[in-house]
Amino acid sequence: MSDAAKKLLSGIALLLIGGAAIGWIYGRPDTGLLVAALLALVWQVRQLLSFDRSLRTDNFDDFRVGEGIWEQMFSRFRFERDRAARRKQAYRELLKEIRKSTNAMPDGAVILTEENEIVTCNRAAKALAGLKRKKDRGQRVDNILRDPGLTKLLQADDKSETVEIASPVGDGKWLNCRVVPYGADQKLLLLRDVTERMRLSKMRRDFVANASHELRSPLTVINGYLDALSDDEQIPPGWAKPVEQMQGQAKRMRKILGELLELSRLEGSSTVKEEEPIDVVALFENAQQAFEGHANLADIVVNADSKARLRGSAAEIETVIVNLLSNAARFTPTDGTITLTWRSGPDGADLIVSDTGEGIDPEFVPRLTERFFRVDKGRSREDGGTGLGLAIVKHVLARHDAELTITSEPGEGSEFCCSFPTSRVVVSPLVALS
Ligand code: ADP
């Protein structure tokens, strides 16, 4: 027990004894004791009420501290109050510093709740995306930055993903968006200005498209002359082989130019315009028929596990099937099997082209969808490959919100699985049986 507490208790005890003694003199010790107890109580209640009033008004001038326990309590209270004020000031300074540094950042930073509502944002977020710290607080960020890619990114679990969106400030700005977990139940949306990168990549795309387009016309003329030469029975016998080789190379160039143009077109927009329900199995059967006409080909089997239709562009999905099938046909021996599978489930649908061919070394698998990447360049050239087929497949799938997963075992075969989300799958209505 502290000295002040002891002093208080002994003071009260003395008061009670004194009261009882005075009462005893007048023949009423109990009344004396009661009066003394009441006096002690009144004084303490008065102190309490005075302290409460001072707390509420934050004015301690009228509070009579006295000495003893009240003085001790009051000095403790003052010490704690001053310490809290100093801490508050330190936090305020720290907050100011943090705000200053986030405002100095060239990238936009937006703190979001779990429900994607804006908590606060820095100055760059205002300049890049037009967000306002006070006005937009509590608003869903995807209601302000309207882009399906961003909505998907905010829902995605993979925090390494990024998406490019056009900024709503409307001066041709492009923003790269990334979401990272922040605090217990918040996330941070980071916005980076990638206008210059997008401009350069558009320039590159336009250049490739224009160059491919421009090269097509002279190539058509060369092709025409080569066709005429090869049909000419009077050309010297020594020229027949070179003309045939030139025709082969010209055909290859035509294919490369066509595929480069197709890639530029696919890169031009991130989603497909056509949304017809596609009968994937019918596309499989068409491709199967087209390929079965060729000699020296492995068996092609169609596995129609689902009647579901796919929402997208039939022409583009046909390109995917033809590219994957022609690869499988080139890399599978004649006694092997190529299987085309269409299956659907609660998570979406898969279009799979698998083969029992030579397979791919695992170190090359991550690079297969790069432009012009070929495991064996020389061989690919000889059998008509351009190294652009899987790049086209990847772009078409991205335009259909789908993903390509390649699994392969050298010497065993490969599987190219295109996984489409449920939003792209249309299940046929059930037909009554009676
Ligand atoms: P290419 O026109 O050369 O076929 P692709 O982009 O279609 O270009 O394929 C890239 C490379 O991937 C091919 O050169 C080949 O090495 C490898 N590849 C693709 N599909 C298969 C497959 N089914 N089996 C083995 N290797 C494959």
Side-chain angles (χ1 to χ4, degrees):
M1 196 186 290
S2 70
D3 285 350
K6 277 184 200 155
K7 223 168 155 183
L8 173 78
L9 289 179
S10 51
I12 291 175
L14 267 176
L15 183 70
L16 293 179
I17 292 167
I22 294 170
W24 183 70
I25 292 170
Y26 291 99
R28 301 290 304 265
D30 47 352
T31 312
L33 188 69
L34 190 70
V35 171
L38 272 174
L39 274 176
L41 190 69
V42 166
W43 191 77
Q44 295 299 338
V45 169
R46 201 177 139 269
Q47 278 295 86
L48 261 179
L49 291 177
S50 161
F51 188 58
D52 174 62
R53 191 171 49 247
S54 303
L55 270 182
R56 277 187 283 111
T57 55
D58 200 25
N59 177 7
F60 290 87
D61 295 347
D62 294 340
F63 181 61
R64 276 195 288 140
V65 181
E67 41 176 64
I69 193 121
W70 280 102
E71 185 199 16
Q72 196 188 40
M73 276 183 359
F74 187 64
S75 72
R76 180 90 215 152
F77 161 77
R78 231 176 9 206
F79 173 76
E80 291 296 342
R81 197 178 61 155
D82 291 350
R83 188 156 74 169
R86 278 197 305 276
R87 275 197 190 143
K88 204 167 155 186
Q89 184 58 27
Y91 280 130
R92 218 176 260 151
E93 302 276 310
L94 189 69
L95 208 67
K96 232 193 250 170
E97 285 305 312
I98 294 174
R99 193 163 285 160
K100 245 200 283 183
S101 64
T102 53
N103 279 342
M105 267 168 42
D107 292 347
V110 190
I111 299 177
L112 302 174
T113 63
E114 238 354 40
E115 281 71 43
N116 302 321
E117 288 154 358
I118 298 173
V119 178
T120 186
C121 64
N122 68 352
R123 208 169 278 160
K126 183 178 174 188
L128 295 173
L131 297 179
K132 289 168 199 90
R133 195 154 65 87
K134 287 196 182 128
K135 204 175 139 236
D136 292 338
R137 184 171 294 159
Q139 296 252 42
R140 281 184 64 110
V141 73
D142 43 353
N143 280 344
I144 301 172
L145 306 178
R146 288 176 176 273
D147 186 285
L150 178 65
T151 310
K152 228 164 77 187
L153 184 82
L154 290 166
Q155 289 160 356
D157 291 330
D158 184 358
K159 300 300 173 211
S160 62
E161 270 180 42
T162 62
V163 70
E164 262 94 44
I165 64 165
S167 163
V169 290
D171 49 1
K173 247 192 206 6
W174 279 88
L175 304 176
N176 173 276
C177 309
R178 187 190 186 126
V179 178
V180 288
Y182 176 81
D185 44 12
Q186 289 184 330
K187 36 194 170 176
L188 191 64
L189 171 66
L190 297 171
L191 306 167
R192 172 164 293 178
D193 187 351
V194 287
T195 315
E196 189 54 18
R197 177 155 67 73
M198 294 298 276
R199 196 181 65 82
L200 288 176
S201 92
K202 184 174 182 303
M203 255 170 75
R204 176 187 58 81
R205 243 185 4 250
D206 290 350
F207 173 77
V208 172
N210 290 339
S212 310
H213 196 73
E214 290 299 322
L215 285 170
R216 264 184 152 183
S217 316
L219 196 61
T220 310
V221 177
I222 294 172
N223 255 317
Y225 282 118
L226 285 174
D227 286 347
L229 273 176
S230 76
D231 290 343
D232 189 348
E233 281 158 10
Q234 287 166 7
I235 72 165
W239 276 95
K241 189 82 186 149
V243 167
E244 192 191 319
Q245 276 175 351
M246 282 192 276
Q247 263 185 314
Q249 291 304 321
K251 190 173 159 206
R252 224 173 83 73
M253 271 177 75
R254 241 194 350 250
K255 191 170 172 207
I256 293 175
L257 292 180
E259 290 188 355
L260 279 174
L261 274 170
E262 176 69 358
L263 258 177
S264 302
R265 187 187 69 79
L266 293 173
E267 279 181 323
S269 74
S270 55
T271 43
V272 271
K273 296 236 164 41
E274 306 90 283
E275 296 266 320
E276 61 205 273
I278 308 163
D279 184 350
V280 177
V281 177
L283 293 184
F284 276 169
E285 285 162 356
N286 288 349
Q288 183 190 30
Q289 272 170 19
F291 274 75
E292 272 175 352
H294 297 104
N296 300 332
L297 203 78
D299 262 356
I300 301 175
V301 179
V302 173
N303 243 345
D305 284 355
S306 166
K307 286 195 164 62
R309 304 277 165 119
L310 181 63
R311 266 194 325 111
S313 151
E316 289 185 17
I317 296 301
E318 189 167 20
T319 308
V320 168
I321 297 171
V322 170
N323 271 314
L324 294 179
L325 186 53
S326 81
N327 279 350
R330 277 161 53 214
F331 296 100
T332 309
T334 35
D335 59 351
T337 311
I338 299 168
T339 312
L340 307 176
T341 306
W342 174 240
R343 67 175 184 210
S344 60
D347 296 334
D350 296 330
L351 182 164
I352 306 168
V353 177
S354 56
D355 62 62
T356 58
E358 59 191 63
I360 307 154
D361 200 320
E363 76 168 290
F364 298 125
V365 170
R367 299 197 54 198
L368 293 182
T369 53
E370 285 174 24
R371 287 152 188 249
F372 295 113
F373 180 82
R374 285 155 289 186
V375 176
D376 182 342
K377 266 202 163 115
R379 180 178 154 194
S380 167
R381 256 189 222 118
E382 267 167 37
D383 58 18
T386 57
L388 293 170
L390 291 179
I392 291 179
V393 168
K394 190 178 113 177
H395 272 92
V396 169
L397 293 183
R399 281 159 58 84
H400 287 79
D401 316 310
E403 273 175 21
L404 176 67
T405 314
I406 306 170
T407 36
S408 187
E409 186 75 41
E412 300 285 326
S414 312
E415 182 186 284
F416 291 77
C417 177
C418 315
S419 309
F420 296 87
T422 40
S423 55
R424 286 275 169 196
V425 183
V426 185
V427 182
S428 345
L430 291 175
V431 179
L433 290 176
S434 57

